[in-house]
Amino acid sequence: MKTHISVDTKIKVGLIGFGRMGRFYLKEMQKSGRWEVAYICDINPDCRELAKKLSPESKILENEQEMFDDESVQVVGLFALADSRKDRIEKAIKYGKHIISEKPVSDTIDKEWEVVDITEKAACFSTVNLYLRNAWYHQAIKQFIDRGEIGELAILRICHMTPGLAPGEGHEYEGPAFHDCGMHYVDIARWYAGCEYKTWHSQGVNMWSYKDPWWVQCHGTFQNGVVFDITQGFVYGQLSKDQTHNSYVDIIGTKGIARMTHDFKTAVVDLRGVTRTERIEKPFGGKNIDVLCDLFADSIETGTRNPKLPLIRDSAIASEYAWTFLHDAYTHDLPAIGELETLEQIWERRRNMKNGYGLLQKP
């Protein structure tokens, strides 16, 4: 397997899965100029037709085998549903391909840990899209904390509530909202704390009397004593006339604080440290797929894995704890509030929305 290439040679990649995330990757790879998207594979004929329009230079496939057989393909991107990822990761390793995967890396925890085992033994590079780690605002806050500006890290508060994907919309094997979306916040809290979770207690609500809680708050501690609370739910004013959301990070130290809010267009970071106060306002940055792809391209070009790339292990840990926190909510009083008829109204509204948080936001 070739792990080092000339910087003036584009990296040849094949994409499997051309839904929403697959199209995001194509767009960023086309913009960067560092990638040659040689193949796009999808079992859906409509997706294949769209791929032909968006990437006429790519070979469009229904069956992925040709992509794996092509020895010139260095990287495969796995953006189909979670239940397909483990087999394709194993196949990529067999054929000597580097791997970029969406999260989670499989559809069950046991399979995710099998993926960790096989990728950590393999010579090829692999990473997973834990996109918050690549966000400029989290990087800025982490650097501020690392300089000692807030003293000792003590409290992590993370909230993400939007009128996002309603039950039954697009989750499939990724589980209810607190796993599908919430595992990103479980991961970023662990990233800030720099150690593993120790204790937790979760409270959920079965909104609209749906069978699973679509709002969960979990609080607890890390092994180093840092306290956390994570709130996530796609329940925030689904039928309000003018939709809004509530998304923030609030980090408290023994001496100062760092916090962030965003409106999906602009992120604002407020830093209050012992030597300086700073307010940074910049474009939100979306999924930061451009950053992930650049870090991965750097790794392939240099032959050395960039340490900023999330590990498959990081994804498995975040997934396992997100499931653990979600299941913990089932062990406590779990109110069912509202009616399924309201959920039907939400589905109908979202089917007819041309803009708005509901269609656009799925972290």
Side-chain angles (χ1 to χ4, degrees), residues 63 116 143 190 223:
N63 185 298
V116 172
Q143 291 169 16
R190 173 176 170 265
Q223 291 176 1

Side-chain angles (χ1 to χ4, degrees), residues 78 85-93 99 105 115 119:
L78 304 180
R85 290 176 194 152
K86 178 177 178 288
D87 288 345
R88 285 168 172 158
I89 288 170
E90 291 176 319
K91 194 172 184 178
I93 291 171
I99 302 158
V105 293
V115 171
T119 53

Side-chain angles (χ1 to χ4, degrees), residues 325-354:
F325 298 164
L326 181 65
H327 291 154
D328 187 64
Y330 287 95
T331 68
H332 305 125
D333 184 38
L334 193 59
I337 298 178
E339 300 175 344
L340 286 173
E341 288 80 3
T342 302
L343 184 55
E344 292 172 358
Q345 294 173 27
I346 291 169
W347 289 332
E348 179 64 22
R349 182 185 189 182
R350 287 171 57 76
R351 280 193 292 268
N352 292 290
M353 288 175 69
K354 294 183 179 179

Side-chain angles (χ1 to χ4, degrees), residues 106-121:
S106 193
D107 56 333
T108 69
I109 287 297
D110 288 345
K111 290 180 182 178
E112 288 180 80
W113 281 108
E114 289 176 22
V115 171
V116 172
D117 184 59
I118 61 177
T119 53
E120 290 186 348
K121 291 176 180 177

